[in-house]
Amino acid sequence: MVPIIRKASEDDFQKIMDWLRAEREETGEGFYCNRSVIEDAHADGEMIALIENDMPVAFIAYGLIRNGILEVRPDRRDLGYGKALAEDALQRAIDDDRRCILDIECAPWASIPFWEKIGFRIYSQNYAYMLLPKILKLPERGTEADVTISLYRDPDQHSPEGSVPQAVFKPKAVRSEDGLIHLGQRIIFDNKADNSHRDPVARVSIDGRDVFFDKLKYDGASQLGIRRDEGGNFYADHLRL
């Protein structure tokens, strides 16, 4: 029978707890020590199980939007079940659209290569992240706008002279009749790559004119249309002067 992925039922949950407990007693390993988190995830309806022959042999609790838990039963590992659950959780996070950057802890450390294969990038010890790009639909009517957005990770580089951006975006953009500038792609301000923990700085130019050059945490950024997701990450789907 082909394995299926579904929300864990009460029976699934109990069977998972049984093999987690057995693993703990036999090897001292596994996530039974985090059973309170797993119990909460199930109670919240945030526990997904992979079912093989009517038996739950892998699960993910709280998915990838929160710092969750993924485990495959020891005797069913190396069959691609962990990857299947991770990819399912990734698609759920994309569809949910509450975060533009996923941020996880890779525990145990031996799981780092697994998460790197899924597409995550390590930025600090065993912490990893992934950007979630999004293509946006442009309005059929409107005038084309020339938009350039530059990201700086050094908050001391506030003047245009001599400043070197860490990333430059030139998305397709259309200005609608109400003045809103629609972007053809979500612009995600990634400040994790260098693990600097500094406030990101952006420079926004529209039709050759600088309209913003400052830290994204300041009010001018939100007034321009730059938003923060549930994780506090900055992004922009549209701009407004």
Side-chain angles (χ1 to χ4, degrees), residues 3 9 22 46 50 53 55 67 86 94 104 140-141 143 164 188 194 196 203 205 215 226:
S9 66
E46 295 287 344
L50 185 144
N53 297 324
M55 176 64 70
N67 199 14
I94 292 171
I104 65 170
E140 296 180 0
R141 296 184 177 181
T143 57
V164 178
I188 302 172
D194 62 356
S196 66
R203 179 181 185 180
S205 175
K215 293 182 180 181
I226 295 172

Side-chain angles (χ1 to χ4, degrees), residues 199-211:
D199 294 324
V201 173
R203 179 181 185 180
V204 180
S205 175
I206 300 176
D207 295 329
R209 180 173 65 91
D210 284 350
V211 297

Side-chain angles (χ1 to χ4, degrees), residues 128-146:
Y129 77 103
M130 179 191 290
L131 304 185
L132 298 182
K134 184 176 184 180
I135 301 300
L136 305 171
K137 185 177 180 180
L138 293 172
E140 296 180 0
R141 296 184 177 181
T143 57
E144 185 175 341
D146 180 13

Side-chain angles (χ1 to χ4, degrees), residues 217-236:
K217 69 179 183 180
Y218 293 152
D219 290 343
S222 60
Q223 292 169 3
L224 187 62
I226 295 172
R227 300 289 181 256
R228 302 186 84 158
D229 69 7
E230 284 192 357
N233 305 295
F234 293 97
Y235 72 96

Side-chain angles (χ1 to χ4, degrees), residues 134-235:
K134 184 176 184 180
I135 301 300
L136 305 171
K137 185 177 180 180
L138 293 172
E140 296 180 0
R141 296 184 177 181
T143 57
E144 185 175 341
D146 180 13
V147 174
T148 301
I149 301 176
S150 303
L151 175 64
Y152 301 80
R153 296 195 182 98
D154 187 344
D156 296 328
Q157 295 181 350
H158 279 308
S159 63
E161 295 77 22
S163 297
V164 178
Q166 300 296 315
V168 178
F169 307 95
K170 293 183 69 68
K172 291 183 178 179
V174 171
R175 190 194 310 267
S176 56
E177 294 180 356
D178 61 359
L180 193 67
I181 298 175
H182 303 262
L183 305 179
Q185 68 184 73
R186 174 168 289 170
I187 303 302
I188 302 172
F189 300 93
D190 170 18
N191 68 333
K192 295 184 181 295
D194 62 356
N195 194 31
S196 66
H197 301 293
R198 294 177 175 177
D199 294 324
V201 173
R203 179 181 185 180
V204 180
S205 175
I206 300 176
D207 295 329
R209 180 173 65 91
D210 284 350
V211 297
F212 181 83
F213 194 179
D214 215 331
K215 293 182 180 181
L216 292 173
K217 69 179 183 180
Y218 293 152
D219 290 343
S222 60
Q223 292 169 3
L224 187 62
I226 295 172
R227 300 289 181 256
R228 302 186 84 158
D229 69 7
E230 284 192 357
N233 305 295
F234 293 97
Y235 72 96

